[in-house]
Amino acid sequence: MKSETISSSNISMKDVAEHLGVSKATVSRALSGKSEISTSMKKKIRQACEELGYRLNPSIQDLVLKGRSGKTKNIGFVLVDRDFSDPAYASMMDGIAEGIRKIHYNLVLVKLSGKEENIYDLPPMLRDGRLDGILLTGQLTVPVMKVLKKLHIETVILGTYSPAILKDMNNIQRNLEKQAYDAVELAKNDGCKNIALFEESHENFSKMQTYHYVKAAAVEYNVEFKENNSYHGTGPYSGAIKAMKSIMNQKELPFDCMICLDFRTAGELAALLMGHFGLDSEPDVKIVVSRPYPHFTLPIPALYLDENSKEIALAGVQFLIERISSKSNLNPSMQIKI
């Protein structure tokens, strides 16, 4: 490896190759993710690119068609360590698509693993200046945020996250307190007296917030919510069956209502309740669930909260475009609840 210091301005792929003492083709194949380049070499090349400040020239790739405004007219919906097919994100994606269409921008879907360590672990669409802005959600972590912030792309986070994640970031989130109070009120009005709560990931920031809000709402609405009636799975997509099987095998259930705001998991709870009470009987336990679409229903009587993911996404698009158009990135970051 050459030891000379290279200026960070106008760094080329050739400069990176000479700095490492490898061929330009090796650098190109490494940045393209070619399998013939070893993992250790890819990591070394990506680290060197980051240290030297190398950026792929987008004009060479003919992927950035900037007009007089200097904008790519591309907005990225970046999902971290989650699936676009998840109902929790599908309705959000519908809202983003609708908002993008109204402003005549292009929508680019980008999925990250959540294991990215530097910007050269990111897809080229993200790292090479091909996006005017990012709408970001999923399993966000501090290390991932550290990498994404290095891109200096205007970003709006969609969803509820810890202060460590949201530091210096724009954010549109659901009003979890209102959602929890609405859920308990629905249960109360339906005659339920003993409430249970199920969450897949109890250590998730938004899930912990929901627990505290449900607990407070139960006191206000004078319904019982015992500590041992708060159940959880073992992590994202772990479902409800394994965690709730032993409870459902009890002769008498210790609750008459289950709040489960994730529709996918609520479907598993509905199946368990059908098994407990029998297919020919209507369960004596109601499920309160947030559903992404009005036509989504459970196979047993349930109490529905129509979630506002689409509205959050639409607001996120509008907010992002305002930030891009007004060049307001120098203004303080904002967190907005809907």
Side-chain angles (χ1 to χ4, degrees):
M1 181 187 299
K2 294 187 177 182
S3 59
E4 296 93 328
T5 300
I6 301 177
S7 171
S8 61
S9 61
N10 300 319
I11 293 295
S12 68
M13 190 178 293
K14 181 181 178 182
D15 292 327
V16 176
E18 290 179 351
H19 178 71
L20 291 172
V22 299
S23 69
K24 181 179 176 182
T26 297
V27 174
S28 176
R29 286 196 293 269
L31 295 180
S32 301
K34 299 296 185 180
S35 59
E36 61 264 29
I37 306 299
S38 69
T39 301
S40 61
M41 178 56 72
K42 288 179 184 177
K43 186 173 183 178
K44 183 183 295 184
I45 289 173
R46 291 173 179 177
Q47 287 177 342
C49 287
E50 186 167 20
E51 291 170 1
L52 297 173
Y54 168 71
R55 294 290 186 277
L56 185 67
N57 187 339
S59 63
I60 295 176
Q61 300 298 312
D62 196 27
L63 290 176
V64 178
L65 302 176
K66 294 187 177 181
R68 293 179 180 176
S69 66
K71 304 300 182 185
T72 67
K73 306 294 285 187
N74 292 329
I75 294 295
F77 178 36
V78 180
L79 185 60
V80 181
D81 193 24
R82 289 294 181 267
D83 295 325
F84 286 113
S85 60
D86 189 323
Y89 300 105
S91 60
M92 187 176 287
M93 191 157 54
D94 286 340
I96 292 172
E98 181 177 325
I100 291 292
R101 185 174 63 252
K102 290 179 179 179
I103 59 174
H104 306 293
Y105 263 67
N106 302 309
L107 177 61
V108 179
L109 302 182
V110 181
K111 185 174 179 180
L112 302 182
S113 68
K115 299 177 181 179
E116 290 77 10
E117 296 180 352
N118 65 58
I119 61 173
Y120 287 93
D121 292 330
L122 300 173
M125 184 61 72
L126 272 181
R127 75 187 183 209
D128 294 327
R130 300 171 186 172
L131 300 174
D132 293 335
I134 294 172
L135 294 161
L136 176 66
T137 193
Q139 187 66 16
L140 305 186
T141 63
V142 171
V144 167
M145 292 306 302
K146 184 177 179 181
V147 173
L148 292 176
K149 286 179 179 179
K150 292 179 180 179
L151 298 173
H152 302 293
I153 299 176
E154 194 69 64
T155 300
V156 174
I157 295 176
L158 304 178
T160 304
Y161 296 92
S162 70
I165 298 296
L166 296 180
K167 184 180 180 182
D168 301 323
M169 300 299 294
N170 298 299
N171 171 236
I172 306 285
Q173 62 179 263
R174 179 180 294 112
N175 189 330
L176 290 182
E177 183 175 14
K178 182 180 184 302
Q179 186 182 46
Y181 272 73
D182 287 347
V184 175
E185 184 180 18
L186 274 179
K188 168 76 172 183
N189 293 342
D190 198 64
C192 300
K193 298 179 180 180
N194 299 293
I195 291 177
L197 175 67
F198 185 86
E199 302 279 5
E200 274 187 318
S201 306
H202 70 296
E203 295 180 350
N204 179 283
F205 179 80
S206 66
K207 308 306 182 185
M208 290 189 290
Q209 293 290 97
T210 297
Y211 166 79
H212 292 297
Y213 290 141
V214 168
K215 186 177 180 179
V219 173
E220 182 169 326
Y221 287 107
N222 195 29
V223 294
E224 192 168 21
F225 178 50
K226 297 179 180 179
E227 186 77 23
N228 57 358
N229 279 350
S230 178
Y231 307 100
H232 56 82
T234 57
Y237 300 119
S238 61
I241 292 178
K242 184 177 180 179
M244 295 299 298
K245 185 176 180 180
S246 61
I247 303 298
M248 294 296 179
N249 279 331
Q250 296 178 14
K251 185 176 181 180
E252 298 290 336
L253 297 180
F255 46 79
D256 58 11
C257 173
M258 291 205 73
I259 295 176
C260 178
L261 298 178
D262 179 75
F263 190 86
R264 172 179 47 81
T265 311
E268 295 187 10
L269 290 172
L272 288 169
L273 287 171
M274 290 171 66
H276 177 86
F277 289 99
L279 294 177
D280 296 326
S281 301
E282 183 175 304
D284 289 335
V285 174
K286 289 289 180 66
I287 296 179
V288 181
V289 62
S290 176
R291 58 182 177 180
Y293 300 101
H295 61 275
F296 276 29
T297 58
L298 296 177
I300 63 173
L303 305 172
Y304 296 103
L305 292 168
D306 289 328
E307 67 178 50
N308 59 346
S309 292
K310 185 175 181 179
E311 287 73 20
I312 289 173
L314 281 168
V317 172
Q318 182 179 1
F319 188 28
L320 181 60
I321 294 302
E322 288 175 356
R323 300 278 298 189
I324 293 171
S325 301
S326 65
K327 297 181 180 179
S328 58
N329 56 331
L330 297 179
N331 295 339
S333 58
M334 295 178 60
Q335 281 83 47
I336 301 172
K337 292 185 178 181
I338 295 179

